Amino acid sequence: MKKVLVLVVLLSFISCQKEVQLVQAVSTIDTTVVDHSPVYIFFEKKGKDTVAEVNRKNTIGTTNWIFNIDKRLPLKIVIPEIIKLQQKREGPQMHQNDQATNYYSYMDSVQKTLAFMSFKEIKYTYNSYFSSIYVKDNPDYHIHFQTFTVNFKPNNKVSVDGNEVEMKELLAFLKEYTSFSSEDKRVLLYLNFDERLTFDQYLSKVIELKILENELVSISPTHFIYDKKKLPDCNCAL
């Protein structure tokens, strides 16, 4: 499907009479995706249960896939579906195009335009792993990094290395804290998200934190989506 996605000022996509309420963020990463096909993940209520309904019937394996995901979906429901689609795309049965990637669509709330974020490199761990445990399990890889654990929790709470931080002050805190504590090493930020958070809370924060990245500061492409009840005892503050 070779075409350029035309930018339109919409707060939602509508497909097959179903609405997808998109995440809104304050900046644009990409504005145009060439040669693409859509994936829709709808928010559905079945009785008291929330379910993610996936529609990828129009996807073409050799194109860029644009994931249009309803922002209301909890991570514990939508992340497993995203992982399945990532695995399907990378499987041997799928026609391959090394240049094709996966994108999340969202709305730039400042520019009032449709925007995209590539997540081809992002790998998800779900649901009984946490970044501080991962760092301890892989000391050789991290020997040249100063790592920091950012943990997003329900009720608009966030912590950095176990220290509670006001959400509105997170960016400023990370800039100062990483600069002060990096010990002249490259900084590697690990993002952790409680599975009870919504896709909106996840993606908007990932986009917001991208401003921190430079030649000395990186955000790990491994994102940790966790169930607090299933985490092993790490002797660390979350």
Side-chain angles (χ1 to χ4, degrees):
M1 185 182 296
K2 294 190 174 182
K3 62 180 180 180
V4 176
L5 188 66
V6 180
L7 295 185
V8 289
V9 183
L10 290 174
L11 293 180
S12 63
F13 275 116
I14 297 179
S15 173
C16 301
Q17 308 304 315
K18 293 185 178 181
E19 181 183 77
V20 176
Q21 294 185 22
L22 294 181
V23 170
Q24 296 189 56
V26 295
S27 63
T28 289
I29 297 174
D30 285 323
T31 59
T32 304
V33 178
V34 179
D35 193 12
H36 62 86
S37 52
V39 176
Y40 295 96
I41 304 184
F42 299 103
F43 176 95
E44 292 285 333
K45 293 293 280 187
K46 292 188 176 180
K48 295 182 179 180
D49 297 327
T50 297
V51 298
E53 182 180 331
V54 179
N55 182 338
R56 55 165 293 269
K57 63 184 179 181
N58 293 319
T59 55
I60 301 172
T62 55
T63 65
N64 295 302
W65 286 9
I66 296 180
F67 284 62
N68 308 296
I69 299 177
D70 197 295
K71 66 182 183 179
R72 298 168 292 177
L73 286 165
L75 294 180
K76 65 181 178 181
I77 292 174
V78 73
I79 291 298
E81 299 298 337
I82 294 170
I83 293 172
K84 288 178 189 176
L85 289 167
Q86 286 178 314
Q87 292 172 340
K88 186 173 185 66
R89 173 147 216 189
E90 294 167 1
Q93 74 279 7
M94 183 68 68
H95 295 297
Q96 297 296 321
N97 174 2
D98 291 340
Q99 302 303 313
T101 188
N102 297 326
Y103 290 87
Y104 289 133
S105 67
Y106 67 96
M107 295 300 301
D108 183 326
S109 59
V110 177
Q111 300 296 325
K112 307 298 183 185
T113 54
L114 192 61
F116 309 94
M117 186 193 83
S118 170
F119 69 101
K120 183 176 183 178
E121 303 303 321
I122 293 178
K123 304 298 180 186
Y124 294 102
T125 72
Y126 180 83
N127 54 13
S128 58
Y129 214 20
F130 197 78
S131 68
S132 55
I133 304 172
Y134 176 74
V135 171
K136 289 180 180 179
D137 288 346
N138 298 274
D140 292 342
Y141 175 79
H142 295 96
I143 193 169
H144 299 298
F145 292 101
Q146 186 65 42
T147 62
F148 297 89
T149 295
V150 184
N151 181 22
F152 293 94
K153 298 176 277 189
N155 302 315
N156 204 36
K157 293 184 178 181
V158 63
S159 64
V160 179
D161 289 347
N163 303 302
E164 295 290 332
V165 179
E166 289 289 332
M167 188 71 76
K168 62 183 179 182
E169 298 173 359
L170 178 60
L171 273 177
F173 179 85
L174 282 172
K175 288 178 182 178
E176 182 176 352
Y177 185 60
T178 56
S179 176
F180 176 77
S181 307
S182 62
E183 301 177 355
D184 296 322
K185 293 183 178 181
R186 288 194 61 195
V187 169
L188 185 60
L189 296 173
Y190 278 104
L191 306 185
N192 302 262
F193 295 85
D194 188 297
E195 68 169 9
R196 293 170 291 177
L197 299 178
T198 64
F199 187 72
D200 183 30
Q201 292 168 311
Y202 162 75
L203 186 59
S204 61
K205 289 305 174 187
V206 171
I207 293 168
E208 180 182 338
L209 293 183
K210 275 189 167 293
I211 196 173
L212 295 171
E213 291 191 296
N214 54 46
E215 64 275 8
L216 297 177
V217 179
S218 300
I219 296 174
S220 171
T222 302
H223 294 185
F224 295 81
I225 314 299
Y226 67 89
D227 180 347
K228 187 176 181 180
K229 295 177 183 178
K230 296 181 180 179
L231 289 180
D233 185 7
C234 66
N235 251 351
C236 57
L238 302 182

